[in-house]
Amino acid sequence: MSEKLYLLDSNIISEIIKPSPSFNVIQKIAEHSSECAISSITWHEMLFGLECLEEGLRKTELKKFLLEDVKKSFEIISYDENAAQIHAILRSKLEKSGHPMPFADSQIASIAIANKMRLVTRNTKDFEYVKEVCEFKLENWFE
Protein backbone atom coordinates (compact mmCIF):
# COMPACT_ATOMS: atom_id res chain seq x y z
CA MET A 1 0.00 0.00 0.00
CA SER A 2 1.37 3.40 -0.92
CA GLU A 3 1.59 6.27 1.53
CA LYS A 4 -1.56 8.35 1.79
CA LEU A 5 -0.92 12.00 0.95
CA TYR A 6 -4.42 13.40 0.52
CA LEU A 7 -7.23 13.45 3.08
CA LEU A 8 -10.50 14.01 1.22
CA ASP A 9 -13.20 16.09 2.89
CA SER A 10 -16.90 15.20 2.67
CA ASN A 11 -17.58 17.67 -0.14
CA ILE A 12 -15.01 15.91 -2.34
CA ILE A 13 -16.64 12.51 -1.77
CA SER A 14 -20.11 14.00 -2.36
CA GLU A 15 -18.93 15.44 -5.66
CA ILE A 16 -18.19 11.97 -7.06
CA ILE A 17 -21.83 10.87 -7.02
CA LYS A 18 -23.31 14.07 -8.46
CA PRO A 19 -24.99 13.78 -11.88
CA SER A 20 -22.51 16.32 -13.30
CA PRO A 21 -19.43 16.21 -11.06
CA SER A 22 -16.53 18.63 -11.33
CA PHE A 23 -14.15 17.44 -14.04
CA ASN A 24 -11.17 18.68 -12.02
CA VAL A 25 -12.21 16.72 -8.91
CA ILE A 26 -12.78 13.48 -10.84
CA GLN A 27 -9.49 13.90 -12.71
CA LYS A 28 -7.51 14.55 -9.50
CA ILE A 29 -9.07 11.57 -7.71
CA ALA A 30 -8.24 9.33 -10.68
CA GLU A 31 -4.70 10.71 -10.81
CA HIS A 32 -4.08 10.30 -7.07
CA SER A 33 -6.47 7.47 -6.12
CA SER A 34 -3.82 5.32 -4.43
CA GLU A 35 -2.71 8.31 -2.35
CA CYS A 36 -6.18 9.33 -1.10
CA ALA A 37 -7.96 8.51 2.15
CA ILE A 38 -10.84 9.86 4.20
CA SER A 39 -11.03 10.57 7.92
CA SER A 40 -13.24 8.66 10.33
CA ILE A 41 -15.00 12.01 10.86
CA THR A 42 -15.81 12.29 7.14
CA TRP A 43 -16.99 8.67 7.14
CA HIS A 44 -19.30 9.53 10.05
CA GLU A 45 -20.63 12.61 8.23
CA MET A 46 -21.42 10.52 5.14
CA LEU A 47 -23.13 7.75 7.16
CA PHE A 48 -25.07 10.28 9.23
CA GLY A 49 -26.34 11.96 6.05
CA LEU A 50 -27.39 8.54 4.77
CA GLU A 51 -29.25 7.68 7.98
CA CYS A 52 -31.16 10.99 7.84
CA LEU A 53 -32.64 10.15 4.44
CA GLU A 54 -36.10 8.63 4.08
CA GLU A 55 -36.18 5.05 2.83
CA GLY A 56 -36.25 4.90 -0.94
CA LEU A 57 -34.21 4.67 -4.12
CA ARG A 58 -31.95 7.63 -3.30
CA LYS A 59 -31.01 6.18 0.09
CA THR A 60 -30.44 2.72 -1.43
CA GLU A 61 -28.18 4.14 -4.16
CA LEU A 62 -26.23 6.30 -1.70
CA LYS A 63 -25.76 3.36 0.68
CA LYS A 64 -24.43 1.23 -2.18
CA PHE A 65 -22.07 4.04 -3.23
CA LEU A 66 -20.72 4.48 0.31
CA LEU A 67 -20.28 0.80 1.15
CA GLU A 68 -19.22 -0.53 -2.26
CA ASP A 69 -17.28 2.39 -3.69
CA VAL A 70 -16.09 4.78 -0.99
CA LYS A 71 -15.28 2.25 1.74
CA LYS A 72 -13.48 -0.08 -0.69
CA SER A 73 -11.62 2.73 -2.49
CA PHE A 74 -10.39 4.88 0.38
CA GLU A 75 -8.65 3.95 3.59
CA ILE A 76 -10.43 5.44 6.61
CA ILE A 77 -7.92 7.25 8.85
CA SER A 78 -8.93 7.20 12.51
CA TYR A 79 -9.06 10.02 15.00
CA ASP A 80 -6.46 8.52 17.32
CA GLU A 81 -4.49 9.60 20.40
CA ASN A 82 -1.97 11.59 18.34
CA ALA A 83 -4.71 13.41 16.41
CA ALA A 84 -6.53 14.11 19.70
CA GLN A 85 -3.41 15.73 21.18
CA ILE A 86 -2.87 17.83 18.05
CA HIS A 87 -6.57 18.69 18.07
CA ALA A 88 -6.41 20.02 21.64
CA ILE A 89 -3.40 22.22 20.80
CA LEU A 90 -4.97 23.38 17.53
CA ARG A 91 -8.31 24.29 19.13
CA SER A 92 -6.52 26.17 21.89
CA LYS A 93 -4.45 28.19 19.40
CA LEU A 94 -7.50 28.94 17.26
CA GLU A 95 -9.52 30.04 20.29
CA LYS A 96 -6.68 32.30 21.48
CA SER A 97 -6.34 33.82 18.00
CA GLY A 98 -10.05 34.66 17.98
CA HIS A 99 -10.85 32.18 15.20
CA PRO A 100 -12.51 29.10 16.69
CA MET A 101 -13.80 26.59 14.17
CA PRO A 102 -16.44 23.85 14.23
CA PHE A 103 -15.37 20.83 16.28
CA ALA A 104 -15.66 18.30 13.42
CA ASP A 105 -13.68 20.51 11.00
CA SER A 106 -10.90 20.95 13.53
CA GLN A 107 -10.89 17.16 14.10
CA ILE A 108 -10.47 16.59 10.36
CA ALA A 109 -7.65 19.14 10.20
CA SER A 110 -5.97 17.43 13.16
CA ILE A 111 -6.13 14.03 11.46
CA ALA A 112 -4.51 15.55 8.37
CA ILE A 113 -1.78 17.18 10.47
CA ALA A 114 -1.15 14.04 12.56
CA ASN A 115 -0.72 11.96 9.40
CA LYS A 116 1.25 14.59 7.43
CA MET A 117 -1.47 14.72 4.79
CA ARG A 118 -2.91 17.49 2.63
CA LEU A 119 -6.57 18.20 3.33
CA VAL A 120 -8.53 18.38 0.09
CA THR A 121 -11.75 20.40 0.38
CA ARG A 122 -13.88 22.84 -1.51
CA ASN A 123 -14.23 24.88 1.69
CA THR A 124 -10.65 26.10 1.99
CA LYS A 125 -11.91 29.32 3.62
CA ASP A 126 -13.16 27.25 6.58
CA PHE A 127 -9.60 26.03 7.23
CA GLU A 128 -7.51 29.13 6.43
CA TYR A 129 -6.85 30.05 10.07
CA VAL A 130 -5.39 26.60 10.76
CA LYS A 131 -2.50 27.51 8.45
CA GLU A 132 -1.81 30.58 10.60
CA VAL A 133 -1.32 28.59 13.83
CA CYS A 134 0.45 25.43 12.62
CA GLU A 135 1.97 23.67 9.63
CA PHE A 136 -1.01 22.61 7.55
CA LYS A 137 -1.43 21.85 3.85
CA LEU A 138 -4.68 22.55 2.08
CA GLU A 139 -5.84 22.00 -1.51
CA ASN A 140 -8.99 22.75 -3.47
CA TRP A 141 -9.44 20.32 -6.36
CA PHE A 142 -12.40 22.28 -7.69
CA GLU A 143 -10.01 24.97 -8.98
Side-chain angles (χ1 to χ4, degrees), residues 24 26 108 116 129 142:
N24 286 350
I26 299 304
I108 292 168
K116 297 173 177 54
Y129 290 109
F142 284 85

Side-chain angles (χ1 to χ4, degrees), residues 21-105:
S22 162
F23 176 78
N24 286 350
V25 170
I26 299 304
Q27 183 178 22
K28 287 282 199 175
I29 289 173
E31 184 180 328
H32 298 288
S33 63
S34 66
E35 302 168 309
C36 294
I38 62 172
S39 73
S40 55
I41 312 309
T42 295
W43 184 240
H44 163 266
E45 289 174 343
M46 303 301 288
L47 293 175
F48 176 71
L50 174 70
E51 291 302 323
C52 289
L53 292 175
E54 296 293 326
E55 294 300 327
L57 182 60
R58 182 166 180 243
K59 184 172 183 175
T60 301
E61 288 176 350
L62 184 58
K63 183 175 185 176
K64 182 179 180 194
F65 167 71
L66 291 175
L67 298 178
E68 294 182 14
D69 296 327
V70 175
K71 189 173 182 186
K72 290 180 182 175
S73 299
F74 303 110
E75 180 181 349
I76 299 172
I77 309 291
S78 294
Y79 178 77
D80 61 11
E81 182 180 348
N82 186 34
Q85 184 174 4
I86 290 169
H87 189 208
I89 295 166
L90 175 62
R91 285 185 64 214
S92 173
K93 287 181 177 181
L94 289 169
E95 290 279 338
K96 289 175 185 173
S97 74
H99 301 288
M101 65 187 299
F103 191 83
D105 285 349

